[in-house]
Amino acid sequence: MSISRRKFLGWLGAAGAGTTIGSKANAASNKVFKGYPDSMGVLHDATLCVGCRECEAACNKVNELSAPDKPFTDLTVLDVKRRTKNEAFTVVNRYDGIPESKGPVFRKTQCNHCLEPACASACFVRAFKKTESGAVVWDESVCVGCRYCMIACPFDIPTYEYDNPLTPKVLKCTMCAPRIEKGLLPGCVESCPKEALTYGKREDLIKIARDRISKYPDRYVDHIYGEHEMGGTSWLYLSSVPFEKIALREDLGITPAPSLTSGALGVVPMVVGLWPVLLTGVYAMSKRKEKIATEERETAVAEAIDKTTAEGEVKLSNAMAKAEKDKEKAIEKAVKTALEEAEKQAEEEAAAKTEAEAAKADQVEPDKSAGKDQAEKIDEAQTEEADEAPKTKDAKTNDEEES
Amino acid sequence: MSEDAAVDRKSIMTPFNICAGIIVIAGLIVTFIRFTQGLGAATNLSEYNPWGIWIGFDLLVGVALAAGGYVTSAAVYLFGMKRFHSAVRPAILTGFLGYLFVVVALHYDLGRPWRLPYPFIFGYGTTSMLFEVGLCVALYLTVLFLEFSTAPMEWLGYKRTRNLVHRLTLVLTIFGVVLSTLHQSSLGALFLIAPSKLHPLWYSPYLPTYFFVSSIIAGLSMVIFEGTLAHRAFHHKMDEAHKAEHNPLTLGFGKAASLVLAGYFSIKVIGIAAGNHWHLLATGYGFWFLVELMGFIALPCLLYAMGVREQNLKLIRFTAAWTVLGIIINRLNVSIIAFNWQLPSSERYFPHWMEFTISIFIVTLIVLAYRFIVTRMPILYEHPEYKDSH
Amino acid sequence: MNNIIYTLHDFLLHTESIVFIIMGISLLSMVGFWLFLTARDEDKNIQ
Ligand code: SF4
Ligand code: SF4
């Protein structure tokens, strides 16, 4: 851990001091990554493999795996297709009935030690590491056991200790990294009696493979499997039959695994950077719309109130005017009636005067009562008008509530 | 509250409770087996099939169906649909419970679950989509917890803290949407690393977009679906606002779901064109793909639209359940059914009964937790003391 | 030697690690920036 963290900081330094390091920083931001120079690999020539299972036995021994049910000398196990298992980091399979070949073809399976390992790209704790030697190794101390590496590996290589409840491990070929460090050959390469396996610098292995193909064009398919597959692998294969026939998929393409997800990963910071901008904008807009709506509502209410108040005032003044007129009319009428009555009375009085001069005693009394009547009538008219005014006010308040 | 308790005690032997009890006991037994004997004893996982339904259903479907939280809070707080305010709390609650139990379920699937925080302490495997998923799920669970926490705080009477958290609503909502966008899409992006294993009809560079867009559909449909269930079971717990807003919400979310489904349909078709996979439609997998495309995307899109046009709430509710089923099928297709499609059937995966047990167990726990919370906390009604502050 | 990156995987690890850190910072500073931006609005827009 500490090493890789130091390395990480080192890179940060490199990024910061780009100009001083010049070409090195350039290399760090290169568009083409060719892998570690002088890294090692193994060339498996399937045309030389005889299916003796010596490599399986050696792998079992050097990795101290549990002994299988049937001994390695029992070749009947080749009758069924096998895959890598917890107890077998490498297996040899026999492929029969291939039209391009007279006899059966044997092919060894193990981790291909990809130049850009999918397992490493997928692991979220960086448990896998492509080392400078070429080996892809796994670190038990950090593995969480999510098994995403197994999903990712295009060759279905890693296996898992499903029956171990406490410390399940991801298992796969290590290219004998501990042995390589000691200067030894990988166990399988050392044990192969037919030299179907060649260990060496990957660049040299490719040259050797090319040589073989050009020397024996009838013997080999003109392709080195692993040179470009999935961005290239440290294990390379030569075959006399199409690689698909010996269970090496030809549809994997040459895209290195990290490129498969780098696009999606690249979108992540865009979302983080722009989503808040967009969402805050949407929020501000809906907030603003809401505010405008509230304001509009408020102005509408205010206007409505103004309008009703104005209307009310107009109504009121109309009513007042009307009431005034009515009042005047009523007064006029009352006065008129009063006058008429008074006239009548006066006439009557006059008549009475002329009729009976002798009865003068209560003359003043009827006069007074007539005046009183007139006054009462005027009062009544005024109260009616006053009643009308509050009614207009009520109407006004109703309008307000409605709006 | 005490009345409710009395009622609960009287009716404790309901068929629902008996079923739940049996499931919980079975779940606990399997849990014991899983953690004492390892994954091998409880699952049918193999070298070829490292992920089963604990990932395909519990994680992928769980996260997709818990999208209601971010969809609803975004609609209400960001897009200004204040009239659906009463739907936020229940949606946040189910979102929170969904994510919480996704994380619980993850502990069953991981080989060394106690190392779950390792990626963020030692690992930093930043090139992994799973790192992205893990980080966002962890952060979003925290966001959901904060958003949800106002309910228990109202229940328990922590007024001060509650108001403090309440003021963060907007920021939390925006963070929630950002984080949801990221991890919903990253769940799809998990499979980008394996083009050779996932059937080409489902594998597409657009996988992350598909997962994100379909999570919106899942969220909208789940809110309608849950609302329907909650109305049956907890009608007495709802306040007037909740009851009154429920039907307009069903219509509004149904309309939105229909629209998003239409978009989802077109990008799915574009995906076939972009990969030039038309010829594959004539195969068995192609038929299954068409079932998903027509039966669970185009059909619910139309049904939703009809339901909205005719104000047919029943149809909308049915469509919501149908759409949820479609989302489940889609996630299982990507993670299990169309994954490793090239392997012979003898190497294919079918879940162990214990895997089913745990998945059902987890769903039951979610339902029980939901029931525990809505019968006690102000979820389906507003707390009388905090009415004004919404 | 340490400053040269040989594999795409290591390169992405390097860049993504930095990107993740920047993402965290930018997400948090957006909140602060929004407050700064709207602090003098007569009515405070942020709740
Ligand atoms: S073959 Fe598989 S396990 Fe081996 S390095 Fe490549 S991706 Fe990793
Ligand atoms: S199982 Fe272990 S090694 Fe494999 S991806 Fe997960 S954490 Fe990494």
Side-chain angles (χ1 to χ4, degrees):
Chain A
M1 261 323 293
S2 60
I3 294 167
S4 50
R5 192 169 290 161
R6 212 186 305 140
K7 203 169 174 185
F8 174 64
L9 293 175
W11 291 339
L12 269 179
T19 44
T20 49
I21 307 172
S23 61
K24 275 183 185 171
N26 224 0
S29 62
N30 215 330
K31 290 282 183 291
V32 181
F33 298 92
K34 296 204 166 143
Y36 292 102
D38 301 335
S39 77
M40 309 302 276
V42 176
L43 173 66
H44 173 51
D45 191 333
T47 65
L48 299 173
C49 180
V50 293
C52 63
R53 300 186 68 209
E54 287 290 335
C55 52
E56 287 186 36
C59 179
N60 183 283
K61 210 176 116 211
V62 302
N63 288 301
E64 292 162 10
L65 303 174
S66 58
D69 299 340
K70 292 179 182 170
F72 286 103
T73 46
D74 184 353
L75 295 185
T76 57
V77 296
L78 294 178
D79 292 345
V80 288
K81 296 284 161 293
R82 295 173 303 148
R83 57 154 294 144
T84 54
K85 289 273 174 192
N86 288 342
E87 314 77 36
F89 297 169
T90 184
V91 289
V92 176
N93 275 319
R94 187 182 70 220
Y95 300 90
D96 299 304
I98 304 167
E100 289 89 343
S101 155
K102 270 172 243 136
V105 180
F106 299 92
R107 204 260 302 174
K108 181 180 178 295
T109 305
Q110 75 298 307
C111 172
N112 286 324
H113 300 276
C114 309
L115 298 185
E116 300 287 354
C119 52
S121 180
C123 181
F124 65 167
V125 287
R126 292 193 293 172
F128 283 95
K129 191 173 174 5
K130 177 79 178 171
T131 59
E132 281 172 41
S133 70
V136 174
V137 291
W138 173 81
D139 174 7
E140 185 188 347
S141 67
V142 287
C143 174
V144 181
C146 66
R147 309 186 297 287
Y148 188 30
C149 46
M150 298 168 71
I151 292 279
C153 174
F155 304 104
D156 283 318
I157 296 302
T159 62
Y160 197 65
E161 292 183 324
Y162 288 109
D163 292 324
N164 182 345
L166 284 178
T167 56
K169 290 196 265 300
V170 176
L171 296 169
K172 74 169 192 69
C173 155
T174 61
M175 210 162 114
C176 284
R179 282 172 63 92
I180 292 174
E181 249 167 57
K182 282 187 226 152
L184 297 168
L185 279 178
C188 53
V189 176
E190 195 180 61
S191 71
C192 182
K194 290 287 177 183
E195 291 187 7
L197 299 172
T198 316
Y199 176 80
K201 278 186 196 162
R202 186 175 183 270
E203 286 157 37
D204 298 342
L205 293 177
I206 288 174
K207 275 184 207 132
I208 294 171
R210 286 239 172 81
D211 274 357
R212 287 190 196 171
I213 292 173
S214 57
K215 252 189 219 157
Y216 310 102
D218 299 338
R219 190 170 170 177
Y220 294 105
V221 172
D222 187 10
H223 182 74
I224 307 168
Y225 192 93
E227 188 181 0
H228 300 300
E229 273 75 14
M230 292 302 290
T233 57
S234 289
W235 276 67
L236 303 162
Y237 300 84
L238 282 177
S239 166
S240 57
V241 298
F243 288 97
E244 220 162 39
K245 300 279 166 61
I246 52 172
L248 283 169
R249 292 181 64 168
E250 292 182 44
D251 59 350
L252 296 180
I254 58 166
T255 313
S259 303
L260 292 168
T261 45
S262 60
L265 268 176
V267 178
V268 170
M270 296 300 111
V271 171
V272 172
L274 297 179
W275 238 217
V277 175
L278 198 81
L279 293 173
T280 320
V282 168
Y283 164 76
M285 253 148 56
S286 65
K287 189 92 186 165
R288 173 118 199 93
K289 237 170 75 190
E290 209 175 89
K291 210 177 124 199
I292 290 174
T294 339
E295 269 173 14
E296 266 171 9
R297 209 185 311 131
E298 268 163 16
T299 12
V301 168
E303 263 170 26
I305 291 172
D306 282 355
K307 216 169 128 199
T308 26
T309 325
E311 265 171 18
E313 268 162 18
V314 171
K315 246 193 226 164
L316 190 67
S317 55
N318 282 349
M320 291 283 244
K322 203 178 146 225
E324 203 74 11
K325 252 187 213 159
D326 285 354
K327 199 169 145 189
E328 274 166 23
K329 257 187 210 161
I331 292 171
E332 253 171 45
K333 210 176 148 194
V335 170
K336 224 169 137 188
T337 353
L339 284 175
E340 274 169 12
E341 265 174 30
E343 238 169 75
K344 241 187 194 169
Q345 265 180 356
E347 274 168 22
E348 274 168 19
E349 273 165 31
K353 226 183 186 175
T354 41
E355 268 175 34
E357 284 252 58
K360 277 180 193 171
D362 296 324
Q363 247 339 344
V364 197
E365 294 251 270
D367 221 347
K368 263 182 193 168
S369 66
K372 219 177 167 184
D373 279 355
Q374 281 166 17
E376 265 172 22
K377 263 177 202 162
I378 291 166
D379 267 356
E380 265 171 39
Q382 267 175 340
T383 354
E384 262 171 42
E385 284 149 21
D387 275 351
E388 247 174 62
K391 261 182 217 157
T392 9
K393 250 184 211 162
D394 277 352
K396 197 176 98 184
T397 16
N398 278 343
D399 282 353
E400 261 173 38
E401 272 163 16
E402 271 164 33
S403 60
Chain B
M1 213 64 4
S2 57
E3 270 174 36
D4 288 335
V7 172
D8 278 353
R9 222 168 287 135
K10 243 182 271 164
S11 56
I12 205 145
M13 293 309 265
T14 59
F16 172 82
N17 284 355
I18 294 172
C19 287
I22 294 171
I23 294 170
V24 169
I25 292 169
L28 291 175
I29 295 171
V30 175
T31 304
F32 181 75
I33 296 173
R34 151 69 187 90
F35 286 105
T36 51
Q37 293 174 42
L39 282 162
T43 68
N44 277 345
L45 299 178
S46 65
E47 286 83 15
Y48 280 119
N49 304 292
W51 284 358
I53 55 169
W54 289 352
I55 294 291
F57 182 79
D58 295 8
L59 176 67
L60 295 188
V61 174
V63 168
L65 297 188
Y70 90 88
V71 170
T72 313
S73 55
V76 172
Y77 293 128
L78 299 180
F79 291 82
M81 297 183 202
K82 288 259 160 68
R83 65 212 148 103
F84 298 148
H85 190 272
S86 67
V88 173
R89 275 251 170 116
I92 294 280
L93 170 65
T94 37
F96 172 63
L97 290 176
Y99 277 89
L100 188 66
F101 283 95
V102 160
V103 175
V104 170
L106 214 53
H107 283 78
Y108 284 81
D109 189 72
L110 291 176
R112 309 191 194 198
W114 50 92
R115 287 185 172 181
L116 195 54
Y118 270 31
F120 321 116
I121 303 173
F122 307 113
Y124 316 118
T126 44
T127 54
S128 170
M129 288 320 300
L130 201 57
F131 179 83
E132 223 277 310
V133 170
L135 188 64
C136 288
V137 168
L139 290 176
Y140 186 48
L141 185 60
T142 317
V143 167
L144 274 174
F145 172 74
L146 288 175
E147 285 187 299
F148 165 70
S149 65
T150 49
M153 285 196 268
E154 284 173 18
W155 178 47
L156 300 170
Y158 298 136
K159 206 162 184 170
R160 267 260 203 78
T161 340
R162 182 251 173 229
N163 289 339
L164 200 76
V165 176
H166 187 77
R167 259 193 278 149
L168 291 175
T169 305
L170 182 65
V171 175
L172 288 177
T173 307
I174 291 182
F175 275 22
V177 177
V178 171
L179 293 169
S180 294
T181 310
L182 291 178
H183 71 257
Q184 294 284 2
S185 57
S186 295
L187 280 176
L190 282 182
F191 294 90
L192 287 179
I193 195 96
S196 57
K197 295 187 182 178
L198 182 57
H199 191 282
L201 280 173
W202 281 274
Y203 184 91
S204 156
Y206 302 133
L207 256 182
T209 318
Y210 292 159
F211 267 56
F212 171 59
V213 173
S214 55
S215 83
I216 300 174
I217 297 163
L220 292 167
S221 303
M222 264 317 263
V223 170
I224 300 174
F225 181 63
E226 286 157 17
T228 313
L229 295 185
H231 259 258
R232 293 227 179 112
F234 303 107
H235 201 77
H236 57 286
K237 280 280 163 197
M238 295 173 176
D239 63 6
E240 286 313 311
H242 196 101
K243 283 178 199 161
E245 285 173 17
H246 182 64
N247 287 349
L249 175 92
T250 308
L251 284 172
F253 274 30
K255 194 191 259 174
S258 177
L259 193 66
V260 183
L261 273 164
Y264 184 47
F265 179 81
S266 53
I267 60 173
K268 281 289 255 192
V269 174
I270 288 168
I272 313 175
N276 200 19
H277 297 315
W278 300 104
H279 63 286
L280 290 174
L281 291 177
T283 62
Y285 276 102
F287 172 73
W288 182 232
F289 182 83
L290 285 175
V291 168
E292 190 196 317
L293 185 70
M294 304 313 293
F296 291 95
I297 300 174
L299 181 68
C301 174
L302 282 178
L303 289 182
Y304 266 134
M306 277 162 60
V308 171
R309 282 166 60 100
E310 290 156 19
Q311 310 257 307
N312 185 343
L313 294 169
K314 247 193 172 158
L315 181 60
I316 296 179
R317 286 187 193 126
F318 166 78
T319 314
W322 187 255
T323 314
V324 168
L325 183 65
I327 298 289
I328 297 175
I329 290 176
N330 171 262
R331 297 305 195 257
L332 291 180
N333 275 343
V334 172
S335 61
I336 293 167
I337 298 169
F339 193 79
N340 276 339
W341 64 288
Q342 285 172 320
L343 291 181
S345 55
S346 59
E347 300 288 358
R348 297 298 305 276
Y349 159 87
F350 189 81
H352 193 276
W353 66 265
M354 291 198 202
E355 295 182 72
F356 283 121
T357 308
I358 291 298
S359 291
I360 297 168
F361 173 58
I362 297 285
V363 173
T364 311
L365 288 185
I366 295 178
V367 174
L368 290 178
Y370 181 86
R371 193 177 68 162
F372 177 87
I373 292 170
V374 290
T375 48
R376 283 165 183 78
M377 300 179 198
I379 303 292
L380 300 172
Y381 59 93
E382 283 193 330
H383 196 287
E385 280 177 41
Y386 303 93
K387 261 197 161 79
D388 47 328
S389 51
H390 281 294
Chain C
M1 260 309 256
N2 267 350
N3 290 332
I4 303 174
I5 299 178
Y6 289 103
T7 64
L8 176 60
H9 175 232
D10 280 348
F11 175 74
L12 284 173
L13 262 183
H14 172 57
T15 53
E16 283 299 324
S17 301
I18 298 170
V19 164
F20 265 97
I21 294 167
I22 297 176
M23 279 194 288
I25 297 171
S26 74
L27 201 55
L28 290 179
S29 47
M30 263 309 280
V31 179
F33 185 71
W34 174 252
L35 290 175
F36 169 70
L37 186 66
T38 56
R40 296 210 180 155
D41 293 3
E42 325 105 302
D43 56 329
K44 277 185 113 193
N45 267 332
I46 204 147
Q47 281 173 357

